[in-house]
Amino acid sequence: MKLLVKNISSLMGIHPAGTARLQGEAMNAVPCLENAWLLVEDERIKDFGSMDNCHAEADEVIDAGGGVVIPAFCDSHTHLIWAGDRSGEFIDKIKGLSYEEIAANGGGILNSSDRLNAATEDELYTAALRRLRQVMAMGTGAIEIKTGYGLTLEGELKMMRVIKRLKRDVPQVEIRATFLGAHAVGREFAGRQGEYVDHVISDMLPAVKDDADFVDVFCDKGFFTVEETDRIIKAGEKYGIRAKIHANELDFSGGVQIGVADNALSVDHLERIGREEIALLSQSDTIATMLPGASFFLGMPYAPAKEAIKGGCAVALASDYNPGSSPSGSMPFVMSLACIKMKLLPEQALNAVTINGAAAMGLSDDFGSITPGKYASFVIFKPYAPSLPYIIHAYTEPTISKVILKGVEVS
Ligand code: NIG
Ligand code: FE
C-alpha cells in the first residue's frame, strides 16, 4: 500500500538517517524541503522530493494543498494513567497554596494513588485510552507512559498491565513504559521511607522488570534522596533497564548529578538548574528534558531551556501529562510555551519535541524525523497556517489538518 502526500509547502525535519539527537547549536536548524511530496509505503517513509519532479505512483493520494508537514510529536514524559481528577486541588492552587502545601494536606500524588488503588483496571484503561486517542489526534506519534500512582505492588502492577494493553490495542502510536514506584512513599509505608525504597527495589522492580522499558525516581526535596535514587537506578541497571529521572523541579536536588553519573537516558523537569548542571549535561549522554506545561500550570519558574541549548545540551520538551501538575497532553501547546515563555526559537522547539523527544525514549532509529526508513508518522497542517512560526504563535487555533501515524490517518 502506497500513500502519496503532495503539494506540501514545507516538509520539515528531514534529518539525515543516523541523526541520534541534536545537541547545542545543532538544535537551531530544522532541515526542510519546500514545495515537496512525501511517499509512504505501508507503515514507513519511502521517499520524498520536490513537486517540480513528482513521478511517484501511489494507491492513495492526499493533497496537502500547501500545508506544512512535520514529524509526529515524541512525548517522552507522561503520567497518562490516572483515576478521577484533581480539579479540587486546582481551586486550592487558585487560592494560593503551593504544590508542596497541597501535598502536605493529603493532596498531590497520594490523592491520585488513593483513587488509582480504588479503581478497576478496566476503568483505568478506558480513561487512559480516551487520553491517548486525544493526544494522537493532536499529533503525538510516540509516547512514554509512567506508573507511579499505584505506590503499592498491586497498584503498580495494575498500571503496568494498563500500559501493556494500550501497547497491544493501539499499535499505531509507539508506547514506552516507565516504572515509577518511587514517585512518593506509599501510604502503607508512611514514616518508613527506607523500607519503602527496599520494597521498590526488592519486590516491585523484579515484578515489573519484563514490562518496564525505563525506571524513574522523583529525586527532589521532600521526595527521594540522591542516595535512594542511586540505589534504585543501580537496581534497574541489573535488569538492563535504563533510568529517566525526575530531577530539580522543586530544588537543586542533586538529581542531575546522580542522573549523569549513573548514565540516565534523561533527567526531566530541571526548573532549578544552573551553570554547573548545564555544563555536566552538555558533556554527557543524558538528555535534558523540560516540561513547560508544569511550570505554566503550577506557576513555577520555567527551566532554562535557552541557556541549556547555548551551553551545549541536548534538550527535549515533553508534556508531563498528569492530573496534578500538567493536565494537558497537547504537544503543540508545549511548543508554544517553549517559544512564548522559554524564548526558544521555533526551530529549537520543533527539534525538542520531535528528534530529541524520540532520543529521550531510545526511539531515534524509528521516530522523530522525516527520514526514509522511519515510521511514516507525521502531521499535516491546514494551508492557512503556512509556516512553523504561524503554527506556534496561533496557540489556540486548530491548525492541524491530518495526523498520519505509521502510515494510517488518525480518525
Ligand atoms: O512530573 N513531579 C512529580 N510528578 C509529577 C506530578 C505528579 C502529580 O502531581 O500527580 C510531575 O509533575
Ligand atoms: Fe512527571
Side-chain angles (χ1 to χ4, degrees):
M1 168 73 188
K2 284 188 180 169
L3 164 70
L4 176 69
V5 185
K6 62 177 196 178
N7 295 321
I8 300 166
S9 62
S10 182
L11 181 63
M12 310 198 78
I14 52 171
H15 295 285
T19 307
R21 57 185 223 165
L22 300 172
Q23 227 173 309
E25 277 188 357
M27 288 188 69
N28 298 349
V30 173
C32 301
L33 181 66
E34 310 304 315
N35 191 29
W37 54 267
L38 173 63
L39 184 66
V40 173
E41 187 170 32
D42 300 324
E43 295 187 308
R44 302 266 176 182
I45 295 168
K46 179 81 178 158
D47 204 359
F48 57 76
S50 163
M51 283 306 293
D52 298 338
N53 209 337
C54 181
H55 308 298
E57 300 207 343
D59 307 293
E60 196 191 325
V61 177
I62 293 175
D63 188 342
V68 167
V69 168
I70 66 168
F73 300 112
C74 295
D75 190 353
S76 64
H77 181 136
T78 83
H79 309 249
L80 182 96
I81 300 169
W82 72 83
D85 66 79
R86 305 236 299 268
S87 53
E89 288 175 21
F90 176 55
I91 304 302
D92 293 339
K93 278 183 204 109
I94 293 171
K95 290 180 177 164
L97 267 70
S98 71
Y99 186 67
E100 286 125 308
E101 284 166 335
I102 289 168
N105 287 348
I109 295 167
L110 289 182
N111 183 356
S112 284
S113 172
D114 292 340
R115 289 163 192 252
L116 186 129
N117 282 295
T120 67
E121 184 183 315
D122 282 342
E123 285 166 349
L124 289 177
Y125 173 80
T126 304
L129 182 63
R130 175 176 54 76
R131 292 177 202 121
L132 186 63
R133 294 222 180 273
Q134 257 174 28
V135 299
M136 288 165 71
M138 290 189 281
T140 296
I143 188 168
E144 181 257 22
I145 305 177
K146 298 175 194 296
T147 69
Y149 289 129
L151 312 180
T152 59
L153 177 60
E154 186 38 47
E156 289 296 303
L157 286 172
K158 186 163 63 175
M159 292 191 80
M160 213 31 119
R161 287 196 298 274
V162 172
I163 301 176
K164 248 177 118 167
R165 282 172 68 181
L166 294 172
K167 277 188 181 183
R168 182 194 67 198
D169 297 348
V170 199
Q172 211 187 344
V173 64
E174 192 73 18
I175 298 175
R176 285 295 174 270
T178 298
F179 167 61
L180 176 56
H183 195 192
V185 175
R187 281 207 200 277
E188 292 168 17
F189 286 81
R192 297 184 290 137
Q193 176 144 343
E195 284 175 50
Y196 183 71
V197 172
D198 293 341
H199 181 48
V200 167
I201 291 173
S202 310
D203 306 317
M204 291 185 182
L205 201 49
V208 299
K209 70 173 176 19
D210 294 334
D211 296 318
D213 299 299
F214 303 106
V215 62
D216 193 347
V217 180
F218 190 3
C219 181
D220 224 320
K221 188 173 134 202
F223 290 85
F224 294 90
T225 65
V226 166
E227 293 70 29
E228 291 164 341
T229 304
D230 183 42
R231 281 186 62 206
I232 295 170
I233 297 178
K234 293 210 161 92
E237 246 167 44
K238 279 202 195 123
Y239 300 114
I241 303 172
R242 207 165 164 193
K244 287 167 70 65
I245 299 298
H246 277 76
N248 299 52
E249 174 184 3
L250 308 171
D251 201 359
F252 285 78
S253 64
V256 169
Q257 282 79 354
I258 196 64
V260 168
D262 286 348
N263 192 34
L265 179 57
S266 68
V267 285
D268 303 30
H269 267 293
L270 313 181
E271 287 83 356
R272 326 272 166 175
I273 59 166
R275 278 201 206 129
E276 186 191 321
E277 286 83 4
I278 289 175
L280 254 178
L281 282 163
S282 71
Q283 298 304 313
S284 77
D285 288 335
T286 301
I287 292 166
T289 299
M290 299 176 174
L291 312 168
S295 297
F296 175 75
F297 188 71
L298 296 179
M300 285 188 303
Y302 285 82
K306 211 169 124 178
E307 291 73 10
I309 292 175
K310 254 198 202 129
C313 300
V315 172
L317 293 164
S319 73
D320 198 17
Y321 197 12
N322 77 74
S325 67
S326 184
S328 162
S330 166
M331 290 298 276
F333 186 53
V334 167
M335 277 207 298
S336 298
L337 286 178
C339 295
I340 297 165
K341 295 293 190 179
M342 295 167 137
K343 306 293 177 201
L344 294 195
L345 291 167
E347 292 79 7
Q348 296 172 324
L350 183 64
N351 284 325
V353 293
T354 55
I355 188 83
N356 280 2
M361 294 185 274
L363 291 174
S364 320
D365 288 346
D366 282 317
F367 291 89
S369 65
I370 304 290
T371 307
K374 285 196 184 185
Y375 277 110
S377 296
F378 52 87
V379 184
I380 307 172
F381 287 87
K382 291 180 181 161
Y384 77 78
S387 67
L388 188 62
Y390 184 98
I391 290 162
I392 293 178
H393 95 296
Y395 65 95
T396 60
E397 277 190 41
T399 50
I400 291 178
S401 168
K402 284 182 175 27
V403 176
I404 310 286
L405 300 183
K406 294 189 180 173
V408 176
E409 186 175 344
V410 173
S411 52

